[in-house]
Amino acid sequence: MPITVICDKLSSSKSAEAINFLADSTNSCFSNEDVYLDIYNYSYDVIYEDDTFTVIMDASPATKGHSLILPKDHYANIYELDEEVAGKAFKLAKKLATEMTEKLNCDGFNIVQNNGETAGQTVFHFHMHLIPRYKDDNQKIGWAPGSPSEEEQKEILAIFINNLRRLIATNLMRVIYNISLSCLPEDF
């Protein structure tokens, strides 16, 4: 389905295909009964679908047009999410946010994704909230700014730098290995 037509469906009736997809307990992303029951409470108005994702309108929207990107395969959170699917999810979020901003004439946009109960995750199937924002919509998405000590900042920075060095070294070794393989004769 082309991205340019998704917003034309924002006021459409419930999609029979989506209801059948969600009701089919053989779908891998709904094999966990709790996840199935939580997602079952959401709207089934499908505004976009491809081989990897279904995008539905939220049944309890924060604002007009609030929608959810749901991968068809089950991943409980971002930690379990396949990297390729993660990349596709953000590319889709960008396309949808751009299209929705134009079609809905919103003044801004939030893309929200929670991981773990402490972070506000209530449905334990990876999903991204697409929330069009409007002046005076009375919604608040934010946090109280903190003020860590200089010592805390240095400690956190050291953790990040050490892990980044390890990541770079691991990736560099993979690149060197792949280059060395490509230099070997085919009959080696």
Side-chain angles (χ1 to χ4, degrees), residues 89-108:
F90 247 97
K91 286 178 183 178
L92 179 58
K94 180 196 181 304
K95 289 176 182 178
L96 291 170
T98 300
E99 186 69 18
M100 292 168 84
T101 298
E102 179 186 320
K103 300 285 186 183
L104 298 174
N105 296 312
C106 58
D107 303 304

Side-chain angles (χ1 to χ4, degrees), residues 164-180:
L164 184 59
R165 284 184 183 142
R166 246 178 289 181
L167 181 63
I168 290 170
T170 302
N171 285 335
L172 184 59
M173 290 179 71
R174 280 191 198 125
V175 168
I176 291 169
Y177 176 76
N178 288 335
I179 290 172
S180 65

Side-chain angles (χ1 to χ4, degrees), residues 23-37:
D24 180 359
S25 62
T26 63
N27 284 309
S28 60
C29 62
F30 302 108
S31 58
N32 175 323
E33 186 175 343
D34 293 334
V35 171
Y36 171 76
L37 290 174

Side-chain angles (χ1 to χ4, degrees), residues 110-112 140-146:
N110 289 116
I111 298 173
V112 178
K140 294 187 178 13
I141 298 174
W143 52 88

Side-chain angles (χ1 to χ4, degrees), residues 5-102:
V5 300
I6 54 104
C7 290
D8 296 338
K9 291 191 171 191
L10 286 175
S11 62
S12 69
S13 62
K14 295 190 184 327
S15 163
E17 294 84 8
I19 291 170
N20 290 337
F21 174 78
L22 292 171
D24 180 359
S25 62
T26 63
N27 284 309
S28 60
C29 62
F30 302 108
S31 58
N32 175 323
E33 186 175 343
D34 293 334
V35 171
Y36 171 76
L37 290 174
D38 284 340
I39 292 177
Y40 186 77
N41 290 324
Y42 280 88
S43 168
Y44 303 116
D45 289 331
V46 173
I47 63 169
Y48 175 83
E49 188 165 15
D50 62 23
D51 292 340
T52 309
F53 302 101
T54 298
V55 181
I56 62 174
M57 293 182 65
D58 195 301
S60 301
T63 63
K64 180 178 78 174
H66 180 171
S67 301
L68 304 170
I69 296 176
L70 297 160
K72 290 182 177 179
D73 290 331
H74 177 64
Y75 306 96
N77 50 44
I78 199 164
Y79 310 113
E80 293 181 8
L81 191 64
D82 176 79
E83 285 187 18
E84 185 177 331
V85 175
K88 287 179 178 181
F90 247 97
K91 286 178 183 178
L92 179 58
K94 180 196 181 304
K95 289 176 182 178
L96 291 170
T98 300
E99 186 69 18
M100 292 168 84
T101 298
E102 179 186 320

